Amino acid sequence: MEETREHYLAWLRDAHAMEEQALTMMRGMRSRLENYPDLSARIDRHIAETEGQAEDLRRLLEGQDTGSSVMKDAMARMTATGQALSGMFVGDEVVKGSMASYTFEHMEIAAYKVLIAAAKQLGETGAVAVFERILVQEQDMADWLFDHLDQTTQIFLARDEANLQAKR
Ligand code: MG
Ligand code: FE
């Protein structure tokens, strides 16, 4: 069981770093969006949810952890900042950002599926409940992005054809 716990803790730290990265990416994208009110509102909601997720994971880590996640989180933040900045220089950043967000939500969904299985193995029922609650939020966000990718693309194309600012 010692190996199982080590894997579990490593995956928990990874998930916390992932949520910090999610916050950096979403805040960067949200701060630039001007012409996509539905997308902006949904990102605002998911930022608030993600802040709660990061806090819940931090609390789980504090209850368990022996090592430090500070370095890994710092690395993830730098990567996310780079990705957020690089989005500023593409002419279709709202489309690229929607695609990247949809992909990121699925990375999160996979991460929580793994954490749920490991936490169940360890009998960590409180943690399982936390991960299952987060998993629903990630799935809802992924579903919303999927359902609105066509709308976002249509708005982008219509604005660009009309020579209006479209990319954000
Ligand atoms: Mg998340
Ligand atoms: Fe998410």
Side-chain angles (χ1 to χ4, degrees), residues 57 62 102 126 128 131 156:
L57 296 184
E62 280 178 356
Y102 180 70
V128 170
F131 302 144
F156 169 80

Side-chain angles (χ1 to χ4, degrees), residues 9 30 46 52-53 55-56 58 98 116 135 137 151 156:
L9 288 174
R30 175 63 184 87
H46 201 51
Q53 295 169 3
E55 177 64 21
D56 285 346
R58 195 184 57 74
S98 293
I116 288 165
L135 179 61
Q137 294 176 334
Q151 183 200 68
F156 169 80

Side-chain angles (χ1 to χ4, degrees), residues 130-148:
V130 170
F131 302 144
E132 284 179 339
R133 185 169 45 71
I134 295 176
L135 179 61
V136 170
Q137 294 176 334
E138 310 301 17
Q139 272 170 334
D140 284 350
M141 184 59 174
D143 289 348
W144 191 95
L145 288 165
F146 182 82
D147 291 340
H148 290 78

Side-chain angles (χ1 to χ4, degrees), residues 5-67:
R5 185 160 296 279
E6 276 176 31
H7 286 300
Y8 169 69
L9 288 174
W11 292 333
L12 187 54
R13 282 192 294 270
D14 288 346
H16 184 259
M18 174 180 74
E19 296 303 350
E20 294 288 330
Q21 185 179 0
L23 282 173
T24 304
M25 288 189 326
M26 283 191 291
R27 285 173 182 148
M29 184 173 171
R30 175 63 184 87
S31 69
R32 292 193 306 279
L33 283 176
E34 293 172 27
N35 305 302
Y36 297 84
D38 292 349
L39 181 60
S40 293
R42 189 61 182 88
I43 291 175
D44 280 341
R45 191 178 132 196
H46 201 51
I47 286 172
E49 289 170 345
T50 304
E51 285 167 350
Q53 295 169 3
E55 177 64 21
D56 285 346
L57 296 184
R58 195 184 57 74
R59 209 172 290 125
L60 286 175
L61 276 168
E62 280 178 356
Q64 297 254 8
D65 203 4
T66 48

